[in-house]
Amino acid sequence: MTELTIKIAGEAGQGMQTIGSALCRVFKKMGLYIFANQDYMSRVRGGNNFFQLRISDKPIYCPLQKSDIVIALDKKSVGLHQTDIAGNGIMVLDKAEFGIVKESKVFFNVPFHELANKTGGNDIYINTVCCGVIAGLMGLGFEYLEGVVKEAFSGKEEEAIRKNLLAAKSGYDFTKDNFKEDRFKINTVGARETLLMNGNEAIALAAIKAGCKFYSGYPMTPSTSIMDTLAHFAARFNIVVEQAEDEIAAINMIIGASFAGARSMAATSGGGFALMVEGISLAGMTETPIVVVDAQRPAPATGFPTRTEQADLDFLISAGHGEFARVIYSPGTIEEAFYLTIKAFNIAEKYQIPVLIMTDQHLADSLMNITPLDPHKIKAQRFIISRADAKKISGYKRYQLTASGVSPRAIPSWINDVIYADSDEHNEEGHITEDAQMRVNMVEKRFHKKIAGLTQEIEKPVAFNLEKAETVLVGFGSTYGVLKEACERLSNKKFGFVHLPQVWPFPTAELSLLLDGKSNILTVENNAGGQLAKLLMREAGIKVKSSILRYDGRPFNLDYLIGRIKELES
Amino acid sequence: MEINDFKSNDEITWCPGCGDFGILNALKKSLVNLGKEPKDILLVSGIGQAAKLPHYIKSNCFNGLHGRSLPPAIAAKIANRNLSVIVTTGDGDCYGEGGNHFIHNIRRNVDITVIVHNNQIYGLTKGQASPTTDLGYKTKVQVNGVILEPMHALEMAIALGCGFVARGYSANSEHLCWLIGEGIKHKGFSLIEVLQPCVTYNKKNTYEWYTKRIYKTEDDASYNPNDKIAALQKAAEWEERIPIGVIYRNEKDSYEDKSGLAKNIPLVDEEIENIDISEALKEFI
Ligand SMILES: Cc1ncc(C[n+]2csc(CCOP(=O)(O)OP(=O)(O)O)c2C)c(N)n1
Ligand code: SF4
């Protein structure tokens, strides 16, 4: 396996993402595997942000701690990122511009300010110069870069393309002349078709595929690009994307649209989800299908707006006063986010419940070039009374008591009868009741009976190397990639893992079977409380030996996790 | 359609003599006049005495959370614009708990009709002050009398450019029925606030108190409801004389027109089992 990690660091507004995206396109063309993540501060200008890009000729699933090439776009980055340079790595910087005189064997000095001004006329072209530098360091043919620059500026003026090509070439030539080694060479893979997307984009595309027709949300990092992506495609698919006045409005809107018959979704982060909680309960009570995404970020309160955490697990399981059925998916990869979102819409409609999709900033923002999604793998399935069948019905009762707890759901105006839905306790017609026996019937309908059905539809835990493993790592959500690579890397076969793509209803039976006889179980969680470990105990009576917890707002990376495992094993 | 077509079998739980009865009767008559079948009408409410009204009419009903009648109402209308959507809400429900939705849905201007039963008190929770309780009125909580300035909801709505702002009186059923009809006809968000005596908890704003003060804006031929400044002045009248009737009219494009929704097929009529996203996926190649 040959691989490389490149980090582009600078102030917010210096265009790290522009360089990163351009490089992703170059590497994608080469057929390489990409994992790109961003670390950004909650500000529009200044501070220090970075875009980290790991590429390999073999499949990869998570970031590494150290980078082989660090591009420091400002002086601050030089100090901040020196310790994260890999053994054989270098840091690209503009010493003259930063006023740095001291020498270091990791420095590779490139006068990128000068080159940008000479070729493009101003500092804006630094980004393009740096792309040229990286291509040069890696010994790539310039044609890759040329193609990407032309694509990126297609439709813009000739002049812009010409200047950017000049800028890229100046960085490329400078590097060819001054860096004569081939330690950053990477094997090419050969062209393969891939899709370059992040977790949020996968969720939005899946929602479109699943027939989501109404989306409402209030902007909140890191969920916002779900709304952006849906808005981008809304006109083509006749979807309404409505920015709500607050998250309370958002959830009550999607409930209203869903009651009227349109599949609906909202996305937010923990703080916004907290405002939606009464609405989750309303969806449970009125038996209205909805899909809500919580892209977690570190909390309490406003927390770290742009960073990552998995501390909403307990919260989501119990969010909403009272007792009612819900499902919570916790996808671990971009592909899983896509397929589970489609399933979320189907399950929500089949059981007439709220279905929650719990992600986090790491999954939401990380970019990978995945093998093309198969839009035919799972279909949007409808579980309503069709327009044709509706015409034949009379004496309709919205909350008719049934063995499964699910009542046939009619759409207003498709049926000749009227439909009463109520947030008060209600009888089968949907009218308010205070009757004790009816209350018992309705609680059992919404809670016990639906959960019994949902338990048959649990998304199975993903297990790796459990037959041989002495130590089993257990995680949910975005840790999938790092668990997988860690177990592969720790090559003595002692390690296996279990990833949970669904945390509620808890896969008790499945886990009891998988973990039977294992005494060395470790949970790996991006939170401080070991919430998954406690859930394993509470729901399945499974006792873990220890938990590897990270709660500094940063995702697990491969080296960090292996380090923590080794600490525990020694 | 006849009154009997809208008859619900649900038992009415309001206090005898409550102003809500007048609103219920007026609304039923307006629905008869509308000429639509019950299945094509959706009544949406929050929680409160006023919010129970949809149960007492045979039509579709979404009785949601306290304060949250407007968001599901506008979204249901967006999802299926062939439904006539009418909201029945209280002063606490709409102006208090749901105040933010009140403001922003006037801006959004989806074609729904909102009937606010303004009894100037919290009825269901047994008599605390609402956002519209008069200054000085004593309750079990406001033991020294209300000191918060009452909310001037009609003035607010006018200031926000609401297309149709009216006030009715629950004891004047015929006039109220006409107002509701005008509100339903108006394309966009229409607001009809109804003076609604609460015989149990509001001992100040009684039938006698209102009857002495109200007059109809239509009776003054010189009054022009298209004049925003005049409308603001009219809406501000209280204590001495209280105008009922259409206070402000402002014809403008609705959400449906501006968003382009009106040109597409209703969202609920979309076939969703075979949506092809392959072109969208190509953008990620
Ligand atoms: C979140 C929430 N808070 C409080 C309540 C209790 N509550 C129910 S109705 C109501 C006030 C009702 O006043 P209004 O809307 O004026 O209606 P009225 O009963 O006077 O017709 C309150 C506070 C509730 N149901 N939900
Ligand atoms: S408490 Fe007041 S508002 Fe409620 S039903 Fe009785 S009279 Fe009407």
Side-chain angles (χ1 to χ4, degrees):
Chain A
M1 169 170 177
T2 58
E3 64 163 289
L4 201 64
T5 292
I6 301 167
K7 183 191 265 184
I8 304 129
E11 271 184 28
Q14 276 194 307
M16 281 72 70
Q17 213 190 335
T18 317
I19 307 180
S21 309
L23 289 174
C24 282
R25 302 209 72 80
V26 172
F27 299 138
K28 184 174 176 304
K29 276 203 158 66
M30 297 170 62
L32 294 169
Y33 293 87
I34 302 170
F35 188 99
N37 62 307
Q38 300 182 51
D39 181 297
Y40 56 103
M41 300 171 89
S42 182
R43 55 199 279 180
V44 178
R45 297 274 160 196
N48 192 272
N49 295 351
F50 66 81
F51 187 101
Q52 189 172 322
L53 192 92
R54 181 179 171 211
I55 46 176
S56 167
D57 58 346
K58 295 272 152 25
I60 46 174
Y61 303 92
C62 67
L64 302 183
Q65 176 112 18
K66 303 218 170 189
S67 304
D68 302 292
I69 301 173
V70 176
I71 307 275
L73 290 175
D74 68 343
K75 187 174 178 179
K76 217 194 268 169
S77 299
V78 176
L80 279 172
H81 297 288
Q82 258 191 71
T83 49
D84 276 337
I85 300 175
N88 223 358
I90 58 166
M91 176 176 269
V92 177
L93 76 172
D94 188 341
K95 286 172 76 175
E97 184 69 21
F98 302 162
I100 292 177
V101 283
K102 98 175 176 306
E103 287 297 327
S104 163
K105 67 176 188 354
V106 299
F107 284 169
F108 176 56
N109 185 38
V110 180
F112 43 69
H113 282 271
E114 192 191 313
L115 295 175
N117 282 282
K118 241 191 232 160
T119 53
N122 60 49
D123 278 358
I124 292 172
Y125 291 86
I126 288 177
N127 291 333
T128 317
V129 173
C130 288
C131 289
V133 172
I134 291 168
L137 287 170
M138 292 176 64
L140 306 179
F142 188 70
E143 66 279 4
Y144 281 115
L145 210 51
E146 192 171 346
V148 167
V149 169
K150 283 185 178 158
E151 253 170 50
F153 293 92
S154 76
K156 300 246 171 70
E157 293 154 38
E158 277 299 307
E159 184 65 1
I161 300 180
R162 196 184 60 81
K163 282 186 176 174
N164 273 290
L165 281 175
L166 274 178
K169 192 83 172 57
S170 73
Y172 184 77
D173 288 343
F174 179 90
T175 309
K176 285 250 142 181
D177 293 342
N178 294 284
F179 188 83
K180 306 272 188 201
E181 303 165 45
D182 61 359
R183 60 176 137 136
F184 299 126
K185 260 218 158 74
I186 193 157
N187 295 342
T188 48
V189 179
R192 28 176 216 118
E193 191 172 305
T194 59
L195 300 175
L196 184 66
M197 66 171 67
N198 65 28
N200 275 353
E201 287 163 338
I203 288 173
L205 287 162
I208 297 172
K209 174 66 196 162
C212 177
K213 288 291 148 204
F214 184 83
Y215 176 94
S216 182
Y218 187 85
M220 187 167 188
T221 309
S223 71
T224 313
S225 59
I226 296 177
M227 178 154 64
D228 299 345
T229 308
L230 278 168
H232 173 77
F233 290 113
R236 269 182 262 174
F237 293 95
N238 194 19
I239 296 170
V240 171
V241 174
E242 187 59 23
Q243 183 175 322
E245 53 273 25
D246 53 40
E247 288 84 350
I248 301 177
I251 191 155
N252 282 282
M253 277 192 211
I254 65 168
I255 291 170
S258 177
F259 168 77
R263 285 194 166 183
S264 306
M265 177 169 89
T268 183
S269 190
F273 191 86
L275 289 177
M276 292 184 176
V277 164
E278 195 189 12
I280 299 289
S281 184
L282 177 68
M285 183 58 144
T286 56
E287 305 192 42
T288 310
I290 53 167
V291 175
V292 180
V293 181
D294 174 17
Q296 299 165 95
R297 67 192 217 188
T302 309
F304 266 160
T306 57
R307 302 194 179 279
T308 201
E309 194 163 84
Q310 299 183 300
D312 292 353
L313 176 61
D314 283 346
F315 175 44
L316 261 60
I317 287 173
S318 56
H321 49 305
E323 296 164 307
F324 56 92
R326 80 193 62 204
V327 170
I328 307 173
Y329 294 123
S330 44
T333 62
I334 291 162
E335 291 91 334
E336 208 170 58
F338 180 82
Y339 297 117
L340 280 180
T341 300
I342 300 177
K343 182 169 177 182
F345 277 94
N346 288 340
I347 291 287
E349 189 164 288
K350 183 171 179 186
Y351 289 90
Q352 305 172 15
I353 53 165
V355 174
L356 314 179
I357 300 172
M358 181 168 51
T359 67
D360 54 31
Q361 184 268 334
H362 187 55
L363 180 63
D365 289 341
S366 292
L367 269 174
M368 286 177 74
N369 56 340
I370 55 172
T371 42
L373 297 163
D374 179 2
H376 308 294
K377 189 167 147 187
I378 86 171
K379 267 183 68 150
Q381 293 172 285
R382 295 237 75 171
F383 301 93
I384 51 172
I385 301 172
S386 72
R387 204 184 256 278
D389 290 345
K391 291 279 167 271
K392 300 172 213 150
I393 289 176
S394 65
Y396 178 73
K397 291 179 178 166
R398 172 66 190 89
Y399 300 109
Q400 187 194 336
L401 295 169
T402 62
S404 65
V406 179
S407 322
R409 179 167 159 245
I411 301 301
S413 85
W414 290 14
I415 186 170
N416 289 322
D417 287 333
V418 298
I419 301 167
Y420 293 93
D422 205 290
S423 107
D424 288 89
E425 190 56 273
H426 43 256
N427 58 22
E428 290 182 87
E429 273 96 34
H431 287 308
I432 300 173
T433 184
E434 308 256 353
D435 184 83
Q437 186 54 47
M438 187 52 76
R439 163 72 185 172
V440 170
N441 295 344
M442 285 295 166
V443 170
E444 288 171 358
K445 171 188 199 311
R446 290 185 296 260
F447 190 47
H448 301 125
K449 290 183 176 176
K450 286 190 180 182
I451 288 177
L454 288 166
T455 308
Q456 306 306 311
E457 312 225 23
I458 286 178
E459 186 69 18
K460 299 265 175 303
V462 178
F464 175 85
N465 195 35
L466 285 200
E467 309 75 49
K468 302 197 191 92
E470 288 165 24
T471 301
V472 183
L473 309 173
V474 187
F476 64 101
S478 74
T479 54
Y480 170 82
V482 77
L483 291 179
K484 181 174 164 65
E485 282 205 52
C487 288
E488 287 169 354
R489 178 87 46 115
L490 295 163
S491 52
N492 52 13
K493 301 286 177 212
K494 265 179 42 195
F495 291 88
F497 78 89
V498 176
H499 156 72
L500 308 184
Q502 175 172 339
V503 289
W504 201 261
F506 198 69
T508 304
E510 290 82 354
L511 281 173
S512 304
L513 216 65
L514 284 172
L515 297 175
D516 183 41
K518 301 287 178 193
S519 56
N520 206 11
I521 300 169
L522 305 175
T523 62
V524 177
E525 310 181 47
N526 251 154
N527 61 50
Q531 297 181 20
L532 178 61
K534 289 182 187 137
L535 203 57
L536 275 163
M537 188 51 166
R538 193 184 89 191
E539 295 298 323
I542 295 171
K543 192 166 166 27
V544 308
K545 190 162 168 222
S546 182
S547 293
I548 297 176
L549 306 174
R550 180 166 198 180
Y551 43 91
D552 58 359
R554 273 70 179 170
F556 283 99
N557 61 57
L558 185 55
D559 316 282
Y560 176 91
L561 179 59
I562 289 179
R564 292 282 300 267
I565 294 171
K566 285 189 173 154
E567 256 170 47
L568 279 177
E569 296 280 309
S570 63
Chain B
M1 290 292 121
E2 298 170 26
I3 274 288
N4 263 337
D5 295 321
F6 293 97
K7 191 175 169 315
S8 158
N9 295 324
D10 203 30
E11 184 206 347
I12 298 186
T13 57
W14 292 323
C15 311
C18 172
D20 283 335
F21 286 98
I23 303 176
L24 175 63
N25 294 334
L27 176 57
K28 264 196 200 168
K29 275 186 233 151
S30 319
L31 294 182
V32 172
N33 297 341
L34 180 63
K36 277 197 170 183
E37 287 181 61
K39 75 176 182 64
D40 294 317
I41 298 164
L42 171 62
L43 299 186
V44 182
S45 66
I47 296 295
Q49 299 286 39
K52 290 179 182 169
L53 185 143
H55 288 283
Y56 308 147
I57 291 187
K58 184 179 164 197
S59 81
N60 294 300
C61 148
F62 186 86
N63 184 183
L65 295 172
H66 182 49
R68 316 298 165 200
S69 58
L70 296 179
I74 63 106
K77 180 71 182 180
I78 289 172
N80 184 1
R81 64 173 184 278
N82 294 329
L83 291 171
S84 291
V85 178
I86 299 165
V87 171
T88 64
T89 175
D91 40 316
D93 199 44
C94 191
Y95 303 152
E97 189 95 26
N100 204 25
H101 312 308
F102 176 67
I103 295 171
H104 295 285
N105 280 303
I106 292 174
R107 296 178 49 228
R108 203 169 262 126
N109 203 28
V110 177
D111 185 17
I112 64 168
T113 303
V114 180
I115 303 170
V116 182
H117 303 212
N118 183 10
N119 57 6
Q120 299 182 255
I121 205 80
Y122 281 2
L124 191 60
T125 45
K126 303 194 188 305
Q128 306 80 10
S130 87
T132 54
T133 306
D134 283 337
L135 278 171
Y137 189 73
K138 285 189 180 147
T139 79
K140 264 193 272 180
V141 176
Q142 288 73 24
V143 287
N144 298 317
V146 169
I147 56 171
L148 272 67
E149 184 68 29
M151 179 163 154
H152 303 279
L154 299 191
E155 287 163 75
M156 256 175 84
I158 295 165
L160 287 163
C162 182
F164 181 92
V165 181
R167 185 188 279 127
Y169 178 34
S170 69
N172 195 336
S173 181
E174 215 168 296
H175 181 252
L176 179 58
C177 172
W178 169 73
L179 275 181
I180 294 173
E182 289 297 292
I184 294 174
K185 265 189 250 160
H186 172 80
K187 289 275 161 271
F189 187 101
S190 48
L191 172 67
I192 301 147
E193 183 184 284
V194 187
L195 304 171
Q196 177 237 321
C198 167
V199 294
T200 309
Y201 296 112
N202 189 330
K203 303 295 182 192
K204 178 189 169 190
N205 311 97
T206 59
Y207 285 102
E208 299 71 51
W209 191 88
Y210 286 128
T211 307
K212 240 187 262 167
R213 289 168 172 80
I214 55 164
Y215 71 98
K216 293 182 185 155
T217 56
E218 303 88 70
D219 292 347
D220 174 3
S222 71
Y223 182 66
N224 174 11
N226 295 308
D227 178 342
K228 192 168 187 177
I229 302 299
L232 280 169
Q233 281 164 348
K234 186 65 80 187
E237 288 179 26
W238 195 254
E239 285 300 338
E240 304 291 306
R241 295 183 77 218
I242 301 175
I244 59 170
V246 179
I247 308 232
Y248 184 54
R249 276 185 191 273
N250 174 22
E251 291 301 331
K252 56 179 182 178
D253 284 345
S254 66
Y255 176 95
E256 289 85 337
D257 301 321
K258 289 196 276 190
S259 65
L261 199 63
K263 290 200 289 287
N264 292 336
I265 67 165
L267 303 182
V268 289
D269 293 340
E270 285 279 355
E271 200 278 315
I272 63 165
E273 271 143 310
N274 294 300
I275 294 175
D276 183 3
I277 60 164
S278 46
E279 284 303 311
L281 288 174
K282 280 195 186 136
E283 293 194 18
F284 297 85
I285 287 178

